Amino acid sequence: MKAAIVAVGTELLGPGRPDTNAVWLAERLERLGAEVRIRVLVADDEGAIAAALVALASECDVVVATGGLGPTEDDRTREALARAAGVPLERDDARLAALRAAYASRGRTLGPEQERQADRPRGARFIDNPVGSAPGLFVSVGAALVAALPGVPAEMTAMFEGSVAREVASRGAGTIVRRVLRVGGRTESSVDVQLRDLYGADGVEVTILAASGAIDLILRARGPDASAARARLAPVEAEMRRRLGADLFGEDDATLASVVGGTLAGLGRTVATAESCTGGLLGAELTTVPGSSAWYRGGVVAYANEVKVGMVGVDATVLDEHGAVSEAVARAMAAGIRERLGADYGVAVTGVAGPSGGTPEKPVGLVHHAVADAGGGAHVVLRWPGDRALIRRRSVLAALDLLRRRMREA
């Protein structure tokens, strides 16, 4: 079953107002076995909304629309639904009475503006709103079912779970099982080359996506039920895991920080950080993990050379000989912070985040990452593209991945 999502609201087309409803709906529809093919943002314009609904209904079996069902003048979804369905808009006396009673129970009087919420296209069914006043609507547009819901997230989710989910499931969509495999330290193209022969497996759809600091492999399998879908997915997932080996760091919602934290907790070990160009972002990333105080000892942000020497323990002669952005200093920072803070692992980052400060020998984006432990340590130098924020973000994730791989060797 093909599905589409329409978000109505002129404000969504401007900056600063992301459509969070669509993200939630896409995940929920997929779990019900509906394949979301299209997401659309539409301004508060009756003609534009109606045109979008007609176009999507011609391509999809189910269309879920959010927004534009309130009492104000710019709420035009009801009128657009009637236009799209080719039927008149009518006021429902029973719904109007229910609205009046609901307002009266809260000590309020239903005004002419609120009365619009009792309007529906001829033949449409109301969707009860358990947490608000504006009802939703089920409307047939061609052969497709359109479910229109308010844009308020709490109302939208309650109404979807209470009414729309059953309607979608009753249409026999089957079940889609989804798995995300997360890969670190690789490029999207190299992972694609390694795995592309697995993409055509029967009943399994694979999407590869370059995410922040990782490559995500999104696997979807459809079946008449969850067990059958998992059976289709299992052999493809197993072969991908075998080929990826140590490059695979987690699945689904796992992050490098959560994987590193879980590994440290399982080993009963601790980590400390020394940061130059990342300015504390590495420590901040580690402490996004609940319970991080059990294994994160702390860190030092050491931009000035005097701080690297005095607080981290880097030998001044190493700085003089190699410069702050160097393998020798990165290793010395990792070893020094490990010793100073009494941690099992020390992690350090030093580099040139830009936009200024680069030289031909040490250009913007050049970053050294190092890990120190009782057995020695590890180092990697990388040249990151992008602006200052992106270089710093990538450096943090590269340092976490280096620590993750070092712990695998222990």
Side-chain angles (χ1 to χ4, degrees):
M1 174 168 41
K2 297 177 183 178
I5 300 170
V6 182
V8 177
T10 301
E11 71 281 0
L12 296 173
L13 296 169
R17 290 296 297 269
D19 178 21
T20 57
N21 284 346
V23 176
W24 186 90
L25 284 168
E27 189 276 334
R28 191 67 183 88
L29 285 164
E30 185 176 271
R31 281 198 281 139
L32 290 167
E35 182 184 0
V36 178
R37 303 298 297 271
I38 309 170
R39 283 172 48 181
V40 176
L41 296 177
V42 186
D44 294 303
D45 177 272
E46 180 183 327
I49 301 167
L53 292 173
V54 170
L56 295 173
S58 69
E59 299 287 336
C60 298
D61 305 294
V62 173
V63 179
V64 181
T66 62
L69 293 175
T72 61
E73 180 59 31
D74 63 346
D75 291 313
R76 310 304 301 170
T77 298
R78 283 177 291 265
E79 291 80 0
L81 284 165
R83 183 188 292 197
V87 297
L89 191 66
E90 300 175 334
R91 184 149 297 178
D92 184 272
D93 292 336
R95 180 62 56 168
L96 183 60
L99 282 170
R100 285 175 175 156
Y103 271 67
S105 69
R106 297 194 292 269
R108 299 170 58 191
T109 300
L110 189 73
E113 299 83 6
Q114 288 81 26
E115 290 180 355
R116 295 179 60 222
Q117 296 173 117
D119 293 346
R120 64 173 175 174
R122 180 177 292 172
R125 291 177 287 141
F126 284 111
I127 302 173
D128 289 331
N129 185 340
V131 294
S133 60
L137 292 162
F138 282 125
V139 182
S140 295
V141 177
L145 174 71
V146 177
L149 303 172
V152 179
E155 297 181 30
M156 182 275 297
T157 56
M159 295 166 73
F160 186 93
E161 297 290 23
S163 300
V164 181
R166 285 197 306 272
E167 195 81 23
V168 174
S170 71
R171 295 184 167 236
T175 300
I176 295 177
V177 172
R178 184 176 189 265
R179 173 75 77 202
V180 180
L181 301 181
R182 311 210 67 200
V183 183
R186 296 281 299 278
T187 64
E188 183 179 14
S189 58
S190 70
V191 174
D192 181 64
V193 169
Q194 185 181 15
L195 301 178
R196 65 176 53 173
D197 63 297
L198 300 175
Y199 294 176
D202 182 41
V204 180
E205 175 188 312
V206 180
T207 302
I208 185 168
L209 175 67
S212 179
I215 305 301
D216 285 350
L217 290 157
I218 304 169
L219 285 68
R220 298 181 183 89
R222 182 187 298 276
D225 53 45
S227 178
R230 280 193 290 267
R232 286 181 172 175
L233 187 67
V236 178
E237 179 183 350
E239 178 60 16
M240 286 185 172
R241 287 179 176 275
R242 185 191 70 79
R243 294 188 192 183
L244 292 168
D247 294 332
L248 177 66
F249 72 80
E251 61 187 43
D252 297 334
D253 295 328
T255 65
L256 278 165
S258 67
V259 170
V260 164
T263 303
L264 286 166
L267 295 172
R269 295 178 182 173
T270 57
V271 65
T273 55
E275 304 180 58
S276 182
C277 66
T278 47
L281 294 177
L282 177 56
E285 186 73 11
L286 286 167
T287 54
T288 60
V289 182
S292 54
S293 58
W295 41 264
Y296 181 54
R297 296 285 292 169
V300 173
V301 177
Y303 269 56
N305 285 350
E306 306 92 281
V307 178
K308 292 181 176 70
V309 174
M311 298 188 69
V312 182
V314 178
D315 192 321
T317 59
V318 175
L319 278 163
D320 291 339
E321 182 177 350
H322 299 279
V325 180
S326 63
E327 176 181 352
V329 168
R331 287 184 177 273
M333 289 172 66
I337 200 66
R338 173 179 176 269
E339 181 180 352
R340 292 286 174 95
L341 297 190
D344 296 296
Y345 293 94
V347 183
V349 184
T350 180
V352 186
S356 61
T359 67
E361 296 77 22
K362 297 179 180 181
V364 170
L366 183 74
V367 182
H368 291 267
H369 316 72
V371 172
D373 56 30
H379 164 269
V380 63
V381 58
L382 296 166
R383 172 74 186 277
W384 298 118
D387 61 14
R388 181 178 179 83
L390 188 55
I391 289 168
R392 281 153 48 99
R393 175 64 179 166
R394 286 171 166 170
S395 299
V396 165
L397 297 175
L400 290 173
D401 194 49
L402 184 64
L403 174 58
R404 177 188 70 87
R405 292 173 187 269
R406 181 68 180 176
M407 288 191 294
R408 284 178 59 95
E409 299 171 1

